[in-house]
Structures are given as C-alpha cells and as structure tokens.
Amino acid sequence: QVELVESGGGLVQPGGSLRLSCVASGITLADYTIGWFRQVPGKEREGVGCQSNVDGNTYYEDSVKGRFTISRDNAKNTVYLQMNSLKPEDTAVYYCAARFAYSSRYYLQPREYDYWGRGTQVTVSS
C-alpha cells in the first residue's frame, strides 16, 4: 500500500520560514517525480513546483520562485519543500504527489500524478 505523509505545516508570521516533509512508503521515491501543490477553499489545486527523479532538476511556479526549494533524500524516501519569505497569500493546504517517471520532463498538472498525500496546513499571518 502506497502512502505519502506530509508534515511540517503550521502558523508562521509573514517573512518566516517553514520546511515541509513528505515521507513515502510503499514506493521508492527515486523512481518518482515529486510535485508539490497547494489549495485554498473554493479554489482549484495549484502547482507549486516539481522535481524530476531522472536528473534532479526542479521547476517552480513564478509565485514561489526564489523563495521555495524542493529537495529529496532518497535514502530516507523523503522529499522536502523549504519555504522562505512566506507571504499571507501562501496560506493553503500543501500536498505532495508522486508520479512514476523515466523521463526528465516536468509534470505540472494534478491529473498527471499517481499518488497523493493528505496535505498539511500552512497559515501565514501576523
């Protein structure tokens, strides 16, 4: 059984930082491209970024570029999302997702992913 479990969310002041973790079981993350997405009530789930398992390259949406960083530790079967300089508009439930991949292309749409975590809430507020 495949499971992705996010953690690390919480309440942070504007300008602060958080690091989200996504631990996988039942799959080997080294075989999967990882995407991070976020969603606020009443809106569609939107992409934050993704990291290819083939070449390790990352893609970020313009709204988070330069502030967020995706990394992975394959030995721990864990992926991270480091979020710096957080803004109130970053408030959302954050999800990690995994897609089996053997090419280095970026997967940017939720429908392209095979497995999802349940999400972790991030709230940026003073």
Side-chain angles (χ1 to χ4, degrees):
Q1 183 177 351
V2 177
E3 190 173 26
L4 301 179
V5 180
E6 302 96 336
S7 63
L11 174 63
V12 63
Q13 292 186 342
S17 298
L18 283 175
R19 187 177 80 157
L20 306 184
S21 299
C22 172
V23 180
S25 59
I27 58 173
T28 301
L29 279 186
D31 297 327
Y32 288 77
T33 283
I34 294 297
W36 283 94
F37 294 81
R38 63 187 182 186
Q39 189 170 24
V40 298
K43 292 191 175 181
E44 291 187 356
R45 193 166 296 188
E46 67 173 11
V48 172
C50 63
Q51 184 182 60
S52 167
N53 57 300
V54 175
D55 57 17
N57 286 342
T58 51
Y59 171 88
Y60 301 97
E61 295 292 344
D62 287 345
S63 58
V64 305
K65 196 175 296 182
R67 300 188 298 122
F68 289 12
T69 304
I70 298 172
S71 62
R72 66 170 73 202
D73 185 337
N74 286 334
K76 295 182 178 179
N77 229 27
T78 301
V79 179
Y80 304 98
L81 179 65
Q82 177 67 44
M83 305 186 295
N84 298 328
S85 303
L86 282 161
K87 305 174 181 180
E89 51 264 43
D90 294 318
T91 296
V93 177
Y94 283 73
Y95 300 88
C96 65
R99 178 203 165 98
F100 182 80
Y102 48 83
S103 73
S104 59
R105 63 158 287 194
Y106 296 130
Y107 298 93
L108 305 176
Q109 300 299 321
R111 64 178 180 272
E112 297 181 294
Y113 284 82
D114 303 315
Y115 303 108
W116 288 84
R118 294 185 177 182
T120 185
Q121 175 70 47
V122 172
T123 303
V124 185
S125 175
S126 55

